[in-house]
Amino acid sequence: MASVVEYKGLRAGYHCGYCDSKEGKASCGMWAHSMTVQDYQDLIDRGWRRSGKYVYKPVMNQTCCPQYTIRCRPLQFQPSKSHKKVLKKMLKFLAQGEVPKGSCEDEPMDSTMDDAVAGDFALINKLDIQCDLKTLSDDVKESLESEGKNSKKEEPQELLQSQDFVGEKLGSGEPSHSVKVHTVPKPGKGADLSKPPCRKAKEIRKERKRLKLMQQNPAGELEGFQAQGHPSSLFPPKAKSNQPKSLEDLIFESLPENASHKLEFTRFLCSSPLEAETPPNGPDCGYGSFHQQYWLDGKIIAVGVIDILPNCVSSVYLYYDPDYSFLSLGVYSALREIAFTRQLHEKTSQLSYYYMGFYIHSCPKMKYKGQYRPSDLLCPETYVWVPIEQCLPSLENSKYCRFNQDPEAVDEDRSTEPDRLQVFHKRAIMPYGVYKKQQKDPSEEAAVLQYASLVGQKCSERMLLFRN
């Protein structure tokens, strides 16, 4: 089994759905006829992302709104105050039928696929899903084509941080230098993402007590506390009355027998370029692309699309019935997927991250992803992960940043032997070193070398580059 891709090259100067620039977007892309989960894992760790079968990579130092791959670390994740509000709101609705008063404002959204792949690729598999989600054919089509309100992972508007971009080096490809002063949001404009989340005095006292007890008893068997490095289980002990509830406690809290509503979940493989795999050491559900359906009283109200890969759960997108937007289904589904990643980790230890797509610091409606802590951003030059707290000061100074502060560091998987790249031509597989001897078009070599530099040496030797 091998990945087969068709490189489409660079597209520049087209519409951006984030800043509404008519000619600011720039990305490289390829069509994936088939792809292994390991190849896609390696590609997203180099800044690629898929929309259907089209896999694209923003040209970070050229595009108007640089898109940085972001991942959350679920094993250390603790829901914020706003996350808990969403979970409690769902529980109240299920248990008592309580609907929040007042109008529900639209939540932030990801760019639609058309923003990423314009022109010839605008009609590519916008929707692989087939289900009777309310007015799906009309609502989803409209949202995909017009920055609609059916959105990807959302966060309440009060969490969005305002941002002024006076003096930014627009379009600059030069790495910016870190600044020591954090930008403080204006009053009423939300949390400062460059600072750690606020902690209650009670939590700080409990942390001090825990550290003191661990120093007194290194074995760690202290009424629910485990010595660092020796957890008895992935999930913490069931919270006592004086302990904050875990994510699982909040999601799976028992409902009364006479609950007003019933929420159920189903998960099944769906059509995508990813080849499904079920290795013995993998998760019980296997690897591949899945639809997660959310059923309320027998009616489907949302569908999340996720990719389960060797090292992560990658969130692709979410569709939901706008009649239930008051439940903040984007936030709720993200928290469910984080909990699901933790569950998969118990069986498959290397599967320990939750990828949330792209973080776009220059777009206020996309900065909410930074609220899922702890999280990391991918350095666009060396492809190493850097804690988001270390990246934010640089992003305040420049849209495009090299996060790796080591000036000597390089891309460890850069293309060093392009002749070893695998080509699929006329039903034959051959190294590029053999294939190029048959070609006379100088532009052919430029395209292949560009492809090799973007996918890296490992993927270039495993994936088959289709040429006709």
Side-chain angles (χ1 to χ4, degrees):
M1 183 167 56
S3 302
V4 179
V5 298
E6 190 172 354
Y7 186 58
K8 298 295 184 179
L10 170 68
R11 287 192 65 85
Y14 62 98
H15 176 258
C16 173
Y18 299 113
C19 67
D20 206 29
S21 168
K22 293 182 178 180
E23 300 179 343
K25 199 95 169 186
S27 67
C28 295
M30 57 188 175
W31 182 266
H33 294 277
S34 66
M35 183 166 288
T36 66
V37 291
Q38 185 61 60
D39 284 341
Y40 187 54
Q41 175 72 68
D42 290 343
L43 286 175
I44 62 175
D45 284 336
R46 293 183 63 83
W48 291 81
R49 184 160 175 79
R50 77 175 185 90
S51 282
K53 293 189 176 183
Y54 186 71
V55 188
Y56 64 98
K57 185 181 191 302
V59 182
M60 298 291 280
N61 60 354
Q62 296 181 28
T63 192
C64 54
C65 296
Q67 299 159 260
Y68 299 93
T69 302
I70 183 172
R71 72 179 186 184
C72 173
R73 286 174 258 155
L75 306 189
Q76 293 83 38
F77 174 80
Q78 290 294 332
S80 67
K81 185 176 181 180
S82 65
H83 295 152
K84 291 177 182 179
K85 284 183 178 179
V86 170
L87 295 175
K88 291 177 181 178
K89 178 170 59 177
M90 175 65 79
L91 287 171
K92 286 183 178 180
F93 173 73
L94 295 177
Q96 306 167 15
E98 181 178 321
V99 177
K101 296 181 180 179
S103 61
C104 180
E105 297 181 357
D106 288 344
E107 296 171 317
M109 56 189 151
D110 273 345
S111 171
T112 63
M113 182 173 150
D114 282 347
D115 297 322
V117 288
D120 296 338
F121 308 115
L123 300 178
I124 295 174
N125 288 354
K126 291 183 180 178
L127 187 62
D128 292 330
I129 180 175
Q130 293 182 353
C131 64
D132 58 348
L133 186 60
K134 181 178 180 181
T135 59
L136 179 67
S137 59
D138 294 328
D139 291 342
V140 173
K141 182 178 180 181
E142 180 181 352
S143 68
L144 284 169
E145 294 178 350
S146 64
E147 289 296 314
K149 69 178 180 179
N150 288 4
S151 62
K152 185 60 183 73
K153 310 306 172 198
E154 314 93 6
E155 194 75 358
Q157 290 286 349
E158 62 265 25
L159 293 182
L160 297 180
Q161 178 183 0
S162 66
Q163 176 66 41
D164 295 324
F165 295 108
V166 179
E168 283 183 326
K169 303 175 184 177
L170 297 178
S172 171
E174 300 177 0
S176 64
H177 300 286
S178 299
V179 294
K180 295 182 179 180
V181 180
H182 297 301
T183 299
V184 179
K186 297 178 181 179
K189 295 297 184 180
D192 184 357
L193 296 183
S194 64
K195 296 181 180 180
C198 295
R199 300 176 62 192
K200 294 182 179 179
K202 181 179 178 180
E203 294 179 356
I204 296 175
R205 290 196 300 269
K206 286 167 59 179
E207 178 69 13
R208 290 173 180 169
K209 181 179 179 181
R210 186 183 72 85
L211 293 174
K212 184 177 180 180
L213 290 171
M214 290 183 66
Q215 291 174 354
Q216 296 174 354
N217 186 356
E221 304 298 331
L222 301 169
E223 295 184 359
F225 293 119
Q226 300 294 329
Q228 188 173 3
H230 301 279
S232 61
S233 172
L234 168 64
F235 304 125
K238 187 172 180 62
K240 297 182 179 180
S241 59
N242 61 341
Q243 292 179 332
K245 290 185 177 181
S246 69
L247 177 61
E248 288 73 24
D249 290 332
L250 292 166
I251 290 178
F252 302 112
E253 186 168 322
S254 299
L255 294 173
E257 293 183 2
N258 61 342
S260 299
H261 299 286
K262 183 178 182 181
L263 186 64
E264 298 176 293
F265 302 85
T266 59
R267 183 183 307 111
F268 55 92
L269 279 167
C270 63
S271 173
S272 95
L274 300 186
E275 299 288 343
E277 299 179 29
T278 54
N281 61 341
D284 293 336
C285 60
Y287 298 118
S289 299
F290 295 81
H291 284 154
Q292 296 204 118
Q293 295 184 345
Y294 294 71
W295 294 83
L296 180 66
D297 302 330
K299 172 188 175 182
I300 188 167
I301 63 169
V303 179
V305 183
I306 60 172
D307 293 331
I308 300 179
L309 306 174
N311 298 335
C312 73
V313 170
S314 176
S315 182
V316 184
Y317 35 66
L318 172 81
Y319 302 117
Y320 67 85
D321 187 333
D323 288 349
Y324 296 91
S325 59
F326 64 88
L327 291 174
S328 302
L329 290 172
V331 178
Y332 182 78
S333 66
L335 296 173
R336 294 279 314 207
E337 289 169 5
I338 289 173
F340 179 53
T341 305
R342 290 157 65 133
Q343 177 187 341
L344 295 178
H345 173 81
E346 291 225 304
K347 168 73 185 302
T348 310
S349 60
Q350 73 272 16
L351 204 164
S352 54
Y353 295 102
Y354 176 63
Y355 284 46
M356 298 179 284
F358 290 129
Y359 174 82
I360 307 172
H361 192 76
S362 58
C363 179
K365 69 182 181 181
M366 295 303 297
K367 292 166 67 175
Y368 70 94
K369 293 182 180 182
Q371 293 287 351
Y372 293 83
R373 300 285 186 95
S375 57
D376 310 299
L377 297 182
L378 186 67
C379 177
E381 295 184 9
T382 62
Y383 303 113
V384 297
W385 294 98
V386 180
I388 192 171
E389 295 85 354
Q390 298 178 25
C391 305
L392 293 176
S394 297
L395 289 172
E396 295 289 350
N397 194 43
S398 175
K399 284 186 177 182
Y400 174 76
C401 301
R402 170 192 167 111
F403 299 138
N404 192 329
Q405 296 302 309
D406 181 359
E408 304 297 325
V410 297
D411 172 14
E412 296 294 339
D413 190 38
R414 64 192 181 281
S415 176
T416 55
E417 299 180 83
D419 283 356
R420 294 173 60 88
L421 180 151
Q422 295 297 297
V423 175
F424 184 40
H425 179 61
K426 293 184 177 180
R427 299 185 180 182
I429 299 173
M430 64 190 76
Y432 176 65
V434 174
Y435 169 78
K436 69 179 181 181
K437 295 178 181 178
Q438 307 172 13
Q439 305 303 311
K440 298 180 181 179
D441 185 357
S443 64
E444 175 77 5
E445 181 176 15
V448 173
L449 293 180
Q450 184 183 63
Y451 159 84
S453 68
L454 295 174
V455 302
Q457 187 68 36
K458 289 187 299 185
C459 281
S460 71
E461 292 187 30
R462 290 197 309 254
M463 300 194 306
L464 303 181
L465 176 62
F466 176 77
R467 309 305 285 175
N468 56 18

